[in-house]
Amino acid sequence: MADDVRIAGRKTVRDWKQFRTALVPGAGPDLWEDAFRVYFEARLSSRYLRPIETLQASRTLDGEGFSILAIHCTLIEFLESTLQALSYRYVRRKDPPLKQDEYSESGKLFAAFLSTRQPFCKVFDPAIAADFYVGVRCALLHEARTKNGWIIKAKGPAIADVSAKNKIVYRNNFHAALLEFIQSYRMALPADGQLQEALVRKFNSLCE
């Protein structure tokens, strides 16, 4: 990728290459706060969070929840692949096998986020997360609809309501839960070497 390509707000590939030289084992918490704020958060805000908030602010209740959830679903895959330091690669039959840091199927990655990360794991077990992947994520991105009984509402008492009678995802609550997760990641990053290594590897891959 060319060095002048923007990867986070106005920050470019060149900026990241210069900045990452300071992100060594033992780097101080202020540097990791900068890594979060200037690169990770800036990328999420400009490409995902601010567009979602613009849609939320319309308050039309005229179907914008489909667009909001579609953006949420792409964001989830980016978050989990960052946590696991994985990069997506489309694999054809004659292609070489995946490397250890690559994946080609998003279903398991997506369901892992919902069923293991706070606060989503309070609502989604592995089975519900897998059903959400098919009935919401894949249905929205491939057919611009929900399937398998899932419906989208603006807000409610929880992230989602899944029972024998209901499969409801509350998109404003879902958004608030994503923001909560992102802030918990921010708090953990300066002291967690595994998260730090994964973040550097992910942004390195974005710059390839």
Side-chain angles (χ1 to χ4, degrees), residues 40-115:
F40 186 80
E41 185 178 42
R43 185 176 178 88
L44 298 190
S45 294
S46 62
R47 301 182 182 212
Y48 298 99
L49 302 178
R50 286 203 297 268
I52 290 170
E53 289 160 4
T54 298
L55 289 168
Q56 287 178 319
S58 70
R59 299 179 182 272
T60 62
L61 300 179
D62 196 27
E64 67 271 19
F66 279 68
S67 296
I68 290 170
L69 256 294
I71 299 172
H72 283 153
C73 288
T74 60
L75 175 55
I76 284 173
E77 188 167 337
F78 174 75
L79 291 172
E80 186 62 27
S81 65
T82 298
L83 294 169
Q84 295 191 31
L86 297 175
S87 298
Y88 177 82
R89 178 160 69 88
Y90 179 73
V91 178
R92 300 174 180 84
R93 283 187 297 175
K94 295 183 179 180
D95 287 346
L98 292 170
K99 298 177 183 178
Q100 188 174 0
D101 60 352
E102 295 178 327
Y103 74 100
S104 65
E105 297 182 6
S106 58
K108 291 182 179 179
L109 203 72
F110 191 96
F113 181 88
L114 292 181
S115 61

Side-chain angles (χ1 to χ4, degrees), residues 95-160:
D95 287 346
L98 292 170
K99 298 177 183 178
Q100 188 174 0
D101 60 352
E102 295 178 327
Y103 74 100
S104 65
E105 297 182 6
S106 58
K108 291 182 179 179
L109 203 72
F110 191 96
F113 181 88
L114 292 181
S115 61
T116 65
R117 308 298 182 184
Q118 293 284 359
F120 296 93
C121 62
K122 297 176 183 177
V123 176
F124 293 93
D125 62 22
I128 296 172
D131 190 56
F132 184 94
Y133 174 79
V134 173
V136 179
R137 185 270 187 192
C138 292
L140 283 176
L141 298 187
H142 297 305
E143 299 186 58
R145 58 171 291 190
T146 57
K147 298 177 74 172
N148 298 346
W150 282 95
I151 62 174
I152 301 169
K153 292 188 176 181
K155 58 183 179 180
I159 300 169

